[in-house]
Amino acid sequence: MSKGKTRKPADLKKGPPQGAVKREKMLRQASGNGLTADSHPEILRGIEHFLLLFLLADVNSKEMQSGNWTSVSHFLLVGLHHSPQLGVPLFLAFLVIYLLTVSGNGLIILTVLVDIRLHRPMYWFLCHLSFLDMTISSAIVPKMLAGFLLDSKVISFGGCVIQLFSFHFLGCTECFLYTLMAYDRFLAICKPLHYATIMNRKVCNSLALGTWLGGTIHSLFQTSFMFRLPFCGPNRVDYFFCDIPAMLRLACADTTINELVTFVDIGFLALTCFVLILTSYGYIVAAILRIRSTDGRLNAFSTCAAHLTVVIVYYVPCTFIYLRPGSQEPLDGVVAVFYTVITPLLNPIIYTLRNKEMKAALQRLGGHKEVQFH
């Protein structure tokens, strides 16, 4: 066998590619019909180009059928752009915020648990809210801190799925919980004589469980619908955590349906909850105005104002982000930092500073007085 015809062992085993065989066959047919490189170079060149396109299409089709086209194994979270000199100051600032968030919400939970005077539905719901704020922060901030200090912006594909699921699970549960807390205040102020009967322990626990179940169903739907899309190339997430608007921009497919579903699903839930909250507070304000005692009106307004403030701080940024799922404005990242990092810190401050019972309970807890467990 001459040197020019020698083939490597792998070639002898596998044989020529199927596309190459088709190419040679068609070229031989063309030669048999009188088409040679000397007589008709343009025609033969066109045949070769056609065969090359056919071969590439055949390879791409097989890769798509085998699933090799979804090749992204990790993502890069590059949403918070900053100079290297600001890495340490930003790390320290967000670390302080995170520690204050965890300690503040943890203190509220501890105070409610050990003080029997706070064993009422309003404060049990507040415990749920504090726990949600702690876990939402814990799902987002630690990875952000690692990016500031260690320049570790990589998150695995599985980690991204978990982060998106956790955030929407906790965020939707919190949305339902705000509505439930407004309903609780409506019963306490507008139907005080029937409050203990309607909002008993069993009903209270069932409603709280319902908020967690609703958040789970919503997040499972959104996460599965999001990651049914293929991710075949770009992996730079222009956001500081994995969230639906940022991930949609990386999908290698038409995302129109996903954007529509996100708008309708999250928009419907947020709008429904917000309308129910406003309706509850409409009745509450009317009932408060009928109270003859000035102190009674002030106490009722103080308690409700704290809840309403938290609701507004939560809903306005969420509406800005999720009712515009295709948006690519730089301001989106700043707003997202507010409702994922700042809002969980504000909740314990608002509820403790504007609630006399919570302040009194904290003073009793700090004074090392005897506490009773329920």
Side-chain angles (χ1 to χ4, degrees), residues 46 146 153 169 192 239 277 289 327 336 340 354 363:
K153 301 181 182 299
F169 161 56
Y239 222 53
I277 291 172
L289 293 177
S327 172
T340 57
R354 299 187 63 88
Q363 291 173 357

Side-chain angles (χ1 to χ4, degrees), residues 285-297:
V285 170
I288 290 175
L289 293 177
R290 290 195 297 267
I291 298 176
R292 296 181 180 181
S293 169
T294 304
D295 292 338
R297 284 199 299 267

Side-chain angles (χ1 to χ4, degrees), residues 156-225:
S156 66
F157 188 92
C160 189
V161 174
I162 293 173
Q163 190 178 60
L164 189 145
F165 171 82
S166 301
F167 177 73
H168 281 271
F169 161 56
L170 298 168
C172 184
T173 303
E174 188 162 327
C175 179
F176 292 147
L177 187 62
Y178 283 133
T179 309
L180 181 55
M181 294 174 74
Y183 175 66
D184 173 71
R185 290 298 85 206
F186 161 74
L187 291 177
I189 294 175
C190 299
K191 298 181 181 295
L193 299 179
H194 304 283
Y195 176 74
T197 304
I198 298 175
M199 192 62 73
N200 56 52
R201 180 178 293 275
K202 183 178 180 180
V203 172
C204 176
N205 292 334
S206 299
L207 290 174
L209 180 62
T211 63
W212 290 90
L213 181 61
T216 302
I217 295 173
H218 165 80
S219 187
L220 281 174
F221 170 72
Q222 283 291 341
T223 304
S224 60
F225 201 69

Side-chain angles (χ1 to χ4, degrees), residues 194-328:
H194 304 283
Y195 176 74
T197 304
I198 298 175
M199 192 62 73
N200 56 52
R201 180 178 293 275
K202 183 178 180 180
V203 172
C204 176
N205 292 334
S206 299
L207 290 174
L209 180 62
T211 63
W212 290 90
L213 181 61
T216 302
I217 295 173
H218 165 80
S219 187
L220 281 174
F221 170 72
Q222 283 291 341
T223 304
S224 60
F225 201 69
M226 177 71 244
F227 287 99
R228 75 177 180 85
L229 295 172
F231 295 90
C232 56
N235 66 343
R236 294 174 61 86
V237 182
D238 194 18
Y239 222 53
F240 61 96
F241 71 101
C242 293
D243 198 11
I244 292 175
M247 300 304 297
L248 285 177
R249 296 196 286 268
L250 302 182
C252 301
D254 185 11
T255 61
T256 304
I257 296 178
N258 285 74
E259 292 180 9
L260 180 62
V261 168
T262 300
F263 178 84
V264 173
D265 179 32
I266 298 180
F268 173 76
L269 288 178
L271 181 61
T272 302
C273 291
F274 194 63
V275 168
L276 291 175
I277 291 172
L278 291 182
T279 302
S280 297
Y281 278 100
Y283 283 106
I284 289 171
V285 170
I288 290 175
L289 293 177
R290 290 195 297 267
I291 298 176
R292 296 181 180 181
S293 169
T294 304
D295 292 338
R297 284 199 299 267
L298 290 177
N299 290 336
F301 269 124
S302 178
T303 302
C304 295
H307 182 205
L308 200 55
T309 302
V310 171
V311 167
I312 293 174
V313 168
Y314 178 81
Y315 272 98
V316 171
C318 286
T319 302
F320 181 82
I321 294 293
Y322 293 106
L323 295 190
R324 301 156 48 253
S327 172
Q328 299 187 29

Side-chain angles (χ1 to χ4, degrees), residues 63-137:
E63 286 184 355
M64 291 177 69
Q65 292 174 3
S66 64
N68 292 333
W69 58 305
T70 305
S71 57
V72 173
S73 61
H74 64 276
F75 296 97
L76 299 176
L77 302 175
V78 297
L80 291 180
H81 303 285
H82 60 87
S83 62
Q85 295 81 5
L86 293 177
V88 174
L90 286 174
F91 170 82
L92 294 175
F94 280 95
L95 177 61
V96 170
I97 292 174
Y98 177 65
L99 293 178
L100 290 175
T101 299
V102 173
S103 59
N105 285 288
L107 184 60
I108 287 179
I109 295 174
L110 177 63
T111 304
V112 174
L113 290 178
V114 301
D115 197 325
I116 194 173
R117 303 178 195 181
L118 300 181
H119 287 190
R120 303 201 302 273
M122 173 183 173
Y123 295 104
W124 286 122
F125 295 148
L126 182 57
C127 279
H128 284 272
L129 179 62
S130 294
F131 182 78
L132 286 169
D133 285 332
M134 291 170 59
T135 47
I136 285 177
S137 254

